[in-house]
Amino acid sequence: MAPKFVVFGGNGFLGKRICQNAVTAGYQVVSVSRSGKVPHSTELNDKQWIQEVQWTAADIFKPDSYHALLKDAANVVHSLGILLENENYKKTLSKSPTTGSKSSLFSLGAGPNPLRKSSPYFTYEMMNKQSAIILANTFKQEIIKKGKKEQAKINERSFTYISADKGFPMIPSGYINSKREAEIEIERMHEYFRPIIMRPGFMFDEHRNAIGPRSFIHSALELLYCGNKFLLQNKLQFMNDLIRPTVSTQQVSHSILTKVEDSNFKGIVTLEEILKT
Ligand SMILES: NC(=O)c1ccc[n+]([C@@H]2O[C@H](COP(=O)([O-])OP(=O)(O)OC[C@H]3O[C@@H](n4cnc5c(N)ncnc54)[C@H](OP(=O)(O)O)[C@@H]3O)[C@@H](O)[C@H]2O)c1
């Protein structure tokens, strides 16, 4: 039987491309999300691989709801987190061209946050850090249950954490700090699995409609990146640190699969390395 590949957040923006790549590579793929919903796609290409994934519902903060899924998992991916401690921005980014407007882009994170009281999980600490630690610990416990002989087969297992390249201008430092803190905790578990830490920058989907808030941000960032490269010739280090290349979800997923399949690899995969893969 093909090795099992479990993607938390597998129906998300990046997660679905990780699932797609893992199916193509021949894994038995399971997606876990609260809704368990199949991702929406109008792409003909997507229809086939989507049928191959087991779309399951569970809450990452409730290990009892999914620990059994991890029992025989070879590779686990954590692909969920937040950019702002305000759920409204996700809705803004995913707005369709007909309902989204450019002006709404500039209000990302602004306005009331009705979920703040009702959703104690919607913080950097919980969504970006604790959710990953809880998942990695649950995976670790399942490995320990198998006994010392199985535990020793570290190279056959991996845990991938989707971190981030750097913080973004106007985004609170809590975002990148929570990512870095999670990285440290996951790397500490290297005696149980190979930790793979991905550090992508702003992501876009190669097959997604070229209109809408995310595409608008993508084009603006690409323009700045080209300006810095060709006009300033990357001579100003502070500009190079500020203006980073964008990367597609397809490139990130491809890089993840490459690292998962390299049984000797563990550690950090930088944005530059992702772009080279
Ligand atoms: N997007 C970017 O440009 C970018 C850039 C750098 C780094 N990243 C990082 O990449 C990762 C993936 O980002 P993304 O944009 O793909 O996120 P996304 O589209 O919001 O996907 C996250 C998925 O996680 C699921 N989820 C949320 N809470 C959950 C819970 N408690 N238990 C189980 N599943 C849960 C959601 O599905 P349900 O609602 O059905 O639960 C959702 O499909 C994140 O760590 C993010 O910080 C993203």
Side-chain angles (χ1 to χ4, degrees):
M1 198 181 212
K4 192 168 171 185
F5 199 112
V6 186
V7 185
F8 279 71
N11 62 353
F13 183 61
L14 170 64
K16 69 175 182 188
R17 294 298 170 208
I18 303 173
C19 289
Q20 178 180 15
N21 269 269
V23 166
T24 309
Y27 290 95
Q28 177 202 344
V29 182
V30 181
S31 159
V32 183
S33 63
R34 287 164 307 174
S35 66
K37 276 189 187 158
V38 176
H40 170 74
S41 178
T42 47
E43 285 286 318
L44 208 63
N45 258 353
D46 286 340
K47 300 265 185 281
Q48 209 168 1
W49 68 262
I50 279 177
Q51 288 175 8
E52 307 280 326
V53 177
Q54 183 190 329
W55 303 99
T56 59
D59 188 334
I60 201 162
F61 295 106
K62 295 176 183 152
D64 282 352
S65 66
Y66 59 82
H67 75 92
L69 276 175
L70 302 180
K71 207 158 72 182
D72 52 350
N75 305 292
V76 176
V77 179
H78 176 280
S79 181
L80 57 105
I82 54 172
L83 184 63
L84 288 168
E85 289 179 319
N86 177 345
E87 202 170 48
N88 293 334
Y89 85 92
K90 287 209 170 183
K91 288 175 192 145
T92 309
L93 271 184
S94 59
K95 262 183 186 160
S96 76
T98 47
T99 54
S101 70
K102 284 181 188 175
S103 62
S104 64
L105 286 178
F106 301 108
S107 64
L108 289 182
N113 180 1
L115 285 169
R116 182 151 251 156
K117 277 205 178 92
S118 58
S119 176
Y121 295 143
F122 218 76
T123 62
Y124 292 134
E125 172 69 18
M126 293 307 286
M127 290 299 287
N128 293 353
K129 182 179 164 190
Q130 293 303 335
S131 67
I133 296 172
I134 290 169
L135 176 60
N137 263 321
T138 311
F139 188 31
K140 173 179 149 182
Q141 291 311 322
E142 291 304 317
I143 295 163
I144 291 171
K145 279 186 205 164
K146 290 183 188 171
K148 289 256 182 280
K149 204 172 153 198
E150 278 299 306
Q151 203 175 305
K153 298 177 183 170
I154 301 167
N155 288 8
E156 293 177 17
R157 287 183 298 265
S158 69
F159 183 95
T160 302
Y161 173 65
I162 312 299
S163 184
D165 171 49
K166 287 180 192 289
F168 296 98
M170 297 190 298
I171 298 298
S173 58
Y175 167 74
I176 198 67
N177 292 344
S178 58
K179 293 280 190 190
R180 294 291 177 266
E181 285 166 19
E183 290 180 4
I184 293 168
E185 294 298 323
I186 288 156
E187 287 200 301
R188 279 200 184 124
M189 299 188 211
H190 62 93
E191 283 169 21
Y192 301 91
F193 45 70
R194 291 184 292 118
I196 300 174
I197 311 290
M198 304 299 296
R199 288 187 178 172
F202 182 86
M203 286 189 274
F204 64 96
D205 190 294
E206 290 167 19
H207 301 309
R208 207 141 155 183
N209 198 328
I211 321 165
R214 194 183 283 275
S215 305
F216 178 77
I217 299 174
H218 172 219
S219 307
L221 290 174
E222 277 299 297
L223 204 67
L224 284 170
Y225 185 72
C226 291
N228 185 37
K229 192 171 174 184
F230 297 110
L231 298 177
L232 299 177
Q233 295 179 336
N234 294 114
K235 280 184 183 153
L236 302 174
Q237 192 49 44
F238 81 95
M239 288 296 270
N240 299 343
D241 288 342
L242 202 65
I243 304 170
R244 304 285 291 150
T246 60
V247 61
S248 74
T249 51
Q250 283 81 358
Q251 285 171 299
V252 177
S253 319
H254 174 70
S255 180
I256 292 171
L257 263 294
T258 307
K259 298 302 179 191
V260 164
E261 302 215 311
D262 177 354
S263 60
N264 291 316
F265 181 85
K266 61 178 177 183
I268 292 166
V269 188
T270 62
L271 173 58
E272 280 73 17
E273 283 176 81
I274 296 171
L275 291 165
K276 263 191 268 163
T277 335

